[in-house]
Amino acid sequence: MTHDYLVITPDDGQDVLRCLAVPARLQILKLLHASGSMNVNEIAARLDLPQSSASIHVTALEEAGLITTTSQKARRGSQKICTAAHAEILLSFATPQETTDAIEVAMPVGLYSGAEVLSPCGLCSDSGIIGYLDSPATFLNPERMRAGLLWFTRGHVDYQFPNNARIAGRSVTELELRLELSSEVPGTSANWPSDITIDINGIPIGCWTAPGDYGDRRGTYTPAWWKLAGSQYGHLKSFRVTAQGTYLDGVRVSDVGLAELNLESHHSIRVRIAVREDAANPGGINIFGRGFGNYDQDIVLILNT
């Protein structure tokens, strides 16, 4: 099951915000979500718009990346079929933390921009389970924003970080991703390896084999309501990309360097956390965020400049 979300900030999302400032375009998006793909004439008829106006609005939505269109043969020539591009559009006001040389953004684990997961899977906040256990559709639940722990067997979650270095006109000398991870098994097992792969901007940078899923003791920050038989904590991992290559906890794991990530060309930095179908050890994943595990932190991206 695939869910596509668009995360924008006030800095990089101005084109989208300007497009959505027109009420008719919001109505078109609502119609496409409610009724599915439609051609321009159908949209004009349903919303009582002149066909010429509907065409202008559709073009604006397409240019902003809010809808996709395909050309389909009709009785006279061809017609444009319109489809909503995103399940949700999220405006983030998260403020980056800056030092003289570094820009840091902390991303809540539930604020993913896309997800394709297989059960067993689930999400929970510091106060309880979110949605239904072992239902990939739960990853659509708006309450996911409150998640402090998520898990799945195979698949991936995508996160879209603002490229604040580009916005600030600063050159990146090193990128670091920090997050707490473990494998995922029904119950727990300290010996349950899982290959967890990290991609940045579509480029696989490295793979870490999580040794197990731990339930021998309660995580330092894991809430008391979460049963001890559930995943309690993981390992805090650091993936660091430099000009010379990628390092996992200081050990070189790949030749992928900053040049391959092409950071200067993107307004956002896309991070994918995955357990791939072809993994040698497909043992699932737990991603611990604030309020769970041994480290009270979200997924942290640091750009050294």
Side-chain angles (χ1 to χ4, degrees):
M1 179 177 292
T2 302
H3 318 305
D4 188 14
Y5 311 102
L6 175 64
V7 182
I8 60 174
T9 69
D11 294 311
D12 66 17
Q14 293 184 21
D15 290 345
V16 171
L17 294 173
R18 278 194 293 268
C19 181
L20 293 178
V22 180
R25 294 170 191 168
L26 287 172
Q27 292 300 314
I28 290 172
L29 285 178
K30 288 174 64 177
L31 178 62
L32 294 176
H33 277 285
S35 303
S37 300
M38 305 179 75
N39 65 42
V40 175
N41 290 334
E42 290 170 331
I43 292 171
R46 289 284 294 273
L47 297 180
D48 195 24
L49 292 171
Q51 196 275 341
S52 58
S53 297
S55 294
I56 292 171
H57 293 315
V58 163
T59 298
L61 288 165
E62 186 177 15
E63 289 177 349
L66 298 176
I67 66 171
T68 60
T69 63
T70 57
S71 183
Q72 188 177 90
K73 288 184 178 180
R75 290 182 179 178
R76 297 179 180 178
S78 62
Q79 59 183 357
K80 182 179 283 189
I81 305 298
C82 307
T83 304
H86 307 286
E88 297 178 26
I89 300 168
L90 307 173
L91 176 61
S92 173
F93 290 95
T95 302
Q97 301 176 15
E98 295 194 22
T99 65
T100 304
D101 299 314
I103 303 173
E104 178 178 317
V105 176
M107 183 72 69
V109 299
L111 196 59
Y112 42 81
S113 57
E116 184 173 347
V117 303
L118 296 178
S119 61
C121 60
L123 303 128
C124 59
S125 70
D126 58 2
S127 59
I129 299 293
I130 296 173
Y132 296 95
L133 290 175
D134 300 333
S135 171
T138 289
F139 280 65
L140 279 170
N141 192 319
E143 289 296 305
R144 65 188 177 85
M145 306 297 180
R146 300 190 300 110
L149 172 66
L150 68 80
W151 66 94
F152 54 88
T153 303
R154 295 187 190 180
H156 64 261
V157 284
D158 296 328
Y159 296 89
Q160 191 172 0
F161 289 81
N163 187 355
N164 290 312
R166 186 181 191 274
I167 294 169
R170 292 156 66 174
S171 298
V172 176
T173 58
E174 180 180 288
L175 177 152
E176 183 179 6
L177 183 72
R178 295 179 189 165
L179 67 172
E180 186 176 354
L181 302 169
S182 78
S183 60
E184 161 59 20
V185 59
T188 62
S189 173
N191 183 21
W192 190 264
S194 183
D195 297 336
I196 299 171
T197 301
I198 304 295
D199 294 3
I200 296 181
N201 286 351
I203 306 296
I205 65 166
C207 178
W208 173 62
T209 301
D213 182 6
Y214 305 107
D216 57 308
R217 56 180 172 79
R218 186 166 299 282
T220 303
Y221 296 98
T222 300
W225 71 265
W226 182 243
K227 60 185 179 181
L228 191 57
S231 306
Q232 292 294 318
Y233 62 91
H235 297 268
L236 185 64
K237 308 306 293 181
S238 166
F239 291 85
R240 186 166 54 89
V241 185
T242 71
Q244 292 75 37
T246 298
Y247 298 80
L248 172 58
D249 297 334
V251 178
R252 187 183 177 94
V253 292
S254 82
D255 294 331
V256 176
L258 289 171
E260 285 83 354
L261 304 184
N262 200 21
L263 298 178
E264 64 279 359
S265 298
H266 298 283
H267 289 287
S268 63
I269 299 172
R270 295 169 288 111
V271 174
R272 170 167 291 185
I273 306 168
V275 178
R276 294 180 171 175
E277 192 70 31
D278 60 354
N281 299 290
I285 186 173
N286 280 279
I287 305 177
F288 298 85
R290 190 170 294 280
F292 280 82
N294 281 348
Y295 305 90
D296 194 25
Q297 68 163 57
D298 297 311
I299 300 171
V300 177
L301 183 75
I302 302 170
L303 302 175
N304 289 306
T305 64

